[in-house]
Amino acid sequence: MAQTWQDWSAHDPLAARHWDHLAQFASTPNPFFERWFLQPALEALDPHHRVKLVRFERAGELIGLLPVERARRYSRWPLPHLASWLHPNCFLGAPLVQYGEEAAFWQALLARADAKPGAALFLHLAAMPLDTRLADALFATCAAQRRRIALVRREERAMLASTMAPVDYLAHALPGKKRKELRRQQARLAELGTVATVRQDDAQGIHEWINAFLSLEARGWKGREGSALAAVPGTAVLFRGALAEAAARGKLERLSLTLDGRPIAMLASFLSAPGAFSFKTAFDEDFARFSPGVLLQLENLAMLDRKTIDWTDSCAATDHPMIDSLWEQRRPIGRLSVAIGGFARRAVFGKLADIELGRLGKA
């Protein structure tokens, strides 16, 4: 299998088509590593080109891709390592791998890391979905090679996955008292003007929608704390570029709750069949007493009716107070560290893994 570690900007049109084809048939969908999201992210957030794209090819066909960096620190410790590249607005670290090629991909990646580890003491894979063929193949490959792999963190985040109709799912997920309270809030909100839900999955008006979202988010608590998308130039550029390209490709659903035509809650979801990903949401805090974010999520249950979507990843933090109370399913996500290199390097990693797992009470 041909292996290349190349600068992210070195893509010709043919390579771009191969990348898009790989994303379409990936074993585990991951919009954050698709070309329309990852390239704007690299342009905005990696100006010095520290990130390399690990590309694996067979007979001219791209079968695997993963952005990788050589990190100097591991948490607060000066431990050099190879790591999949994630940024604060990248919520999944699964490499794009052609279905059926999962084991071959991991074997090739680990062989490359063994042969040229540089100063890296181990390989670290963050935000890996654990309930996938991809993760199963990694654990099986490590077991077959007698290679140490450590699950150093596991969390579960809300997921929407059901064959129920939206109305039935809501009745099952929320007690009657809570549903009654939401109906009351909907009615009270309607007393202020015309309430409407606007759902779009095309590119019409995308730039105006983006501007409205950035403005809405900036007026809330994220704006006050300086964490809003618009507060960081590179992040705002990424948001604008990725959403516009996703909309042009039919990979974005925009959902807005409006009052007299003014958005008071907004949600952007990426569509990467068979999955969807709730990327960003914002609501107008002036209407907080009506729970506009929750009311919008009630409309978002219509995702259950999409024939090409089997599940939706909330991309939310574990124990999120709002979405965890509404979505009943959970998706396990983990951080994995893997031994690489020769005997001495693996021995050092083993001690480091024992220390970390012991500190976490997992040894």
Side-chain angles (χ1 to χ4, degrees):
M1 184 186 300
Q3 310 170 19
T4 59
W5 290 42
Q6 64 185 59
D7 187 276
W8 57 263
S9 63
H11 296 297
D12 58 28
L14 179 60
R17 289 197 296 272
H18 286 179
W19 190 346
D20 291 342
H21 182 270
L22 172 63
Q24 183 179 358
F25 296 99
S27 173
T28 299
N30 185 358
F32 305 105
F33 288 169
E34 291 191 40
R35 184 167 63 95
W36 52 266
F37 189 95
L38 184 53
Q39 281 193 320
L42 290 165
E43 290 169 1
L45 307 176
D46 183 40
H48 302 297
H49 294 195
R50 295 179 56 247
V51 179
K52 304 298 179 183
L53 286 186
V54 182
R55 297 164 48 88
F56 295 98
E57 301 173 357
R58 179 186 290 123
E61 180 181 11
L62 182 64
I63 69 164
L65 181 145
L66 178 68
V68 171
E69 65 174 333
R70 292 188 178 275
R72 297 183 178 88
R73 301 188 66 83
Y74 179 72
S75 185
R76 58 193 179 92
W77 305 103
L79 299 173
H81 62 285
L82 291 174
S84 51
W85 182 68
L86 278 74
H87 52 86
N89 290 291
C90 176
F91 301 113
L92 199 69
L96 294 180
V97 179
Q98 184 175 303
Y99 187 91
E101 299 286 357
E102 299 88 356
F105 170 80
W106 292 122
Q107 291 163 11
L109 176 62
L110 294 172
R112 177 61 170 76
D114 287 343
K116 297 184 178 181
L121 296 174
F122 55 93
L123 169 67
H124 187 66
L125 302 166
M128 281 289 296
L130 300 177
D131 57 343
T132 60
R133 288 172 55 98
L134 196 59
D136 291 344
L138 175 58
F139 280 101
T141 296
C142 290
Q145 297 179 353
R146 296 185 179 180
R147 182 190 299 268
R148 180 79 180 272
I149 180 171
L151 175 61
V152 296
R153 181 179 176 85
R154 176 192 168 98
E155 58 187 20
E156 294 191 344
R157 63 192 187 199
M159 185 178 189
L160 180 66
S162 175
T163 58
M164 293 183 184
V167 64
D168 296 326
Y169 188 93
L170 180 62
H172 188 269
L174 292 183
K177 184 177 181 180
K178 178 61 177 178
R179 298 198 306 275
K180 182 178 179 180
E181 171 63 15
L182 290 173
R183 288 194 297 269
R184 185 191 69 81
Q185 289 176 315
Q186 286 175 319
R188 293 290 302 277
L189 180 61
E191 293 173 0
L192 303 182
T194 301
V195 178
T197 301
V198 182
R199 190 186 311 273
Q200 295 172 268
D201 55 10
D202 56 20
Q204 183 176 358
I206 181 61
H207 298 293
E208 293 79 5
W209 195 93
I210 290 171
N211 289 337
F213 185 98
L214 292 174
S215 176
L216 182 62
E217 186 190 53
R219 294 198 304 270
W221 66 269
K222 288 186 178 180
R224 294 190 296 273
E225 292 187 358
S227 61
L229 291 163
V232 182
T235 301
V237 169
L238 164 61
F239 185 77
R240 291 181 182 279
L243 260 66
E245 186 64 22
R249 292 167 175 253
K251 285 182 161 288
L252 176 69
E253 181 184 271
R254 292 173 279 153
L255 191 59
S256 304
L257 182 68
T258 65
L259 178 64
D260 291 335
R262 169 190 170 188
I264 60 172
M266 305 176 77
L267 171 66
S269 296
F270 293 141
L271 306 175
S272 292
F277 297 78
S278 297
F279 178 49
K280 289 290 179 179
T281 189
F283 69 92
D284 192 328
E285 293 182 4
D286 290 341
F287 297 90
R289 65 188 182 280
F290 303 107
S291 302
V294 179
L295 297 181
L296 187 68
Q297 284 296 340
L298 298 186
E299 300 297 334
N300 191 40
L301 290 177
M303 194 69 77
L304 293 170
D305 286 335
R306 277 190 174 267
K307 296 188 182 305
T308 60
I309 299 299
D310 295 336
W311 48 265
T312 302
D313 186 334
S314 68
C315 298
T318 300
D319 298 326
H320 190 281
M322 185 271 285
I323 202 66
D324 273 25
S325 66
L326 184 59
W327 290 8
E328 294 188 309
Q329 292 72 45
R330 298 293 180 263
R331 188 178 199 191
I333 304 292
R335 286 175 41 214
L336 302 167
S337 291
V338 186
I340 59 174
F343 176 80
R345 194 182 305 259
R346 295 192 189 195
V348 171
F349 167 72
K351 294 182 181 298
L352 293 173
D354 287 341
I355 292 172
E356 183 170 20
L357 293 174
R359 181 173 57 85
L360 297 173
K362 298 179 180 180

